[in-house]
Every structure is written in structure tokens, then in C-alpha cells.
Amino acid sequence: SGPIDYRFLLTFGAGIGLFDRFDIAVGFPLAIAETAKFGEVSDSDMGMTDLRFLVRGRVFGPEVGGDGPGLALALHTTFPTGSDTPYMSDGAATIMPQVVLDYRSSEGFRAALNVGFRFRPERTVVDLTIANELRFGLGAEVPVGFYGFAFTAEVDGAVSFGDSAYDEGGISAREVPIEVLGGMRWRSG
């Protein structure tokens, strides 16, 4: 079977903030459906993926409810807990240090830019080699104006440093996956 066209993940997670400066979180992603070809469910339509941990610390920034820019450092790690089913695991631990710049207003507007470098094992999927990658993201949250609701938008991407035999040198579009997300968030209190 070929690479996955679509995958739906359900992530169980928990996190805790410490001393208004640190955040520790764990995520357990579960693939609940995927397609290997458009519209056809694959043989591996459900399974565990790699366990995720996050440690993040604020270097500077406004207090809760304040205005201004902020800077945080984060460390993302994964552990190879995913099933042996294709594309469910990297097969080894990964680590990604990250720098996060953000701005927040007391009215609830937030914007963030993050850049990190993910160290991961090299793998070849069909004719594409995936290896270490530069990760980037941009996001915003705009309050709706009532009951703690806000619209959210995110763009996340990566530039892989794998050398695929079928590429003609340089970076091709297929080595730069980009994901665009939108949604709504509710915050109590």
C-alpha cells in the first residue's frame, strides 16, 4: 500500500502549569481512521502512535491578562510506543527544541510564531526520504466577544533535510508539508 492520504487522530492529553512560568504536558495520540487511497480504508485503520511529551518555559512575557510580547523555549519529545503498523511510529525517540515568540492583548487577541529543529531517524516512504527537519508555525486567536469563545487559525510546516533519490536536487514541494488549521476555542473564567 502507498502512503496515507488522510488520517484522523484522537489525542488524549494532560498538562499542568507550574509557577506561572513552566508547562509540562503529555499526549497519547490514537489513529482512529486513515485512507491509503482516497475513499478506501486501509488495513491499518486504527492504532497507537508515538507518545508525546512537552516541557515549555516562559523566558519573559506579560502576566496573565496583560499586554505585550513574550518569549518561550520548548522541548518536544516522542517515544516509540506506536504500533508496528505502517506509518504509526518513527521507530525511535525524536527530540525538537523550539523557540516561541508571541504577542497577547488584554482583550484576548493572541498571535504566535515558533521555529524548531526536529531530530528524527531517517526513513524512506515509497520514494520520499524523511529525516531531520526545520519546523515552523504561525497562529492567531481572535476573541468573538462573548462567553470566552474565540476563532483560531494556525499554519504549521516543515522542511525535511532528507535526500530523496528521485528528487533533482534542492528542496521540492513534497519535502515541505504544510498544514492549515482553523477552529473555535472556549476558555472558562
Side-chain angles (χ1 to χ4, degrees):
S1 83
I4 296 168
D5 286 326
Y6 299 95
R7 172 178 279 169
F8 296 96
L9 292 175
L10 176 64
T11 301
F12 298 96
I16 186 168
L18 303 169
F19 317 112
D20 290 333
R21 194 161 289 281
F22 299 100
D23 182 25
I24 300 170
V26 61
F28 179 72
L30 181 65
I32 57 174
E34 66 183 40
T35 57
K37 295 179 183 175
F38 185 75
E40 296 178 18
V41 176
S42 72
D43 294 335
S44 58
D45 61 339
M46 187 169 179
M48 295 185 332
T49 62
D50 290 344
L51 187 64
R52 302 174 188 173
F53 286 96
L54 166 67
V55 176
R56 180 174 43 209
R58 179 169 52 110
V59 176
F60 70 84
E63 297 299 320
V64 175
D67 288 317
L71 172 69
L73 300 176
L75 184 64
H76 300 259
T77 56
T78 65
F79 294 93
T81 58
S83 68
D84 291 335
T85 306
Y87 317 118
M88 294 288 194
S89 175
D90 271 321
T94 67
I95 188 166
M96 182 178 74
Q98 184 179 53
V99 175
V100 181
L101 299 170
D102 75 338
Y103 178 83
R104 47 182 85 200
S105 74
S106 57
E107 291 82 30
F109 172 79
R110 298 166 188 240
L113 169 69
N114 61 64
V115 177
F117 193 86
R118 183 175 181 197
F119 297 92
R120 66 185 300 182
E122 186 171 290
R123 294 181 69 183
T124 300
V125 178
V126 185
D127 64 347
L128 177 65
T129 300
I130 302 167
N132 294 336
E133 54 192 14
L134 176 68
R135 306 279 307 179
F136 56 90
L138 177 65
E141 180 176 316
V142 179
V144 174
F146 61 93
Y147 303 110
F149 285 98
F151 291 113
T152 63
E154 297 178 26
V155 176
D156 293 300
V159 178
S160 177
F161 291 97
D163 188 21
S164 296
Y166 294 95
D167 293 332
E168 296 180 14
I171 297 173
S172 67
R174 66 195 200 116
E175 295 172 317
V176 186
I178 295 179
E179 180 177 62
V180 178
L181 303 170
M184 191 155 214
R185 176 172 286 149
W186 176 70
R187 294 180 189 273
S188 63

